[in-house]
Amino acid sequence: VIPMSKAFKQADREAYITLGLYVFFFLWWTLFAFGLGNGDPEEYNYVFGLPAWFFYSCVAGYPVVTLLLWVVVRKFFADIPLDASQEEKEDEEKSA
């Protein structure tokens, strides 16, 4: 059982990691979409019949970020109980 102060620290840590991953995905999408897509459509490169900017920002970006999220959840996130800890329950029963 994780004490509540540690649970709040873990929740804050997970929130910051999630925010960082969101910023990473936003930058990934923006840089590929506007970086490769900023030009004359006649000069676009194509990947699997799609414009390269679309393929790398939308098609390739989704599995990359999904894999990254899976790794982060497995390595850095913890299961936090949302109910009162067992010690708090025992203290309440003794005082009643």
Side-chain angles (χ1 to χ4, degrees):
V1 175
I2 298 175
M4 285 311 268
S5 62
K6 287 187 179 182
F8 286 124
K9 288 179 184 177
Q10 179 66 24
D12 285 346
R13 180 176 173 229
E14 291 176 7
Y16 288 127
I17 291 171
T18 302
L19 183 62
L21 288 171
Y22 177 77
V23 169
F24 170 78
F25 184 54
F26 179 77
L27 290 174
W28 171 285
W29 189 93
T30 303
L31 292 174
F32 277 110
F34 291 107
L36 295 177
N38 190 17
D40 184 18
E42 298 291 327
E43 297 175 7
Y44 283 171
N45 294 324
Y46 291 87
V47 178
F48 298 117
L50 299 169
W53 68 266
F54 180 82
F55 178 81
Y56 291 118
S57 65
C58 297
V59 178
Y62 181 74
V64 166
V65 170
T66 301
L67 180 64
L68 185 60
L69 285 168
W70 181 81
V71 169
V72 166
V73 167
R74 302 284 272 165
K75 296 287 183 183
F76 299 106
F77 284 26
D79 191 15
I80 299 173
L82 299 177
D83 59 346
S85 69
Q86 187 65 28
E87 293 173 8
E88 290 176 2
K89 289 179 183 177
E90 290 173 1
D91 290 340
E92 289 175 4
E93 290 173 0
K94 288 179 183 177
S95 64

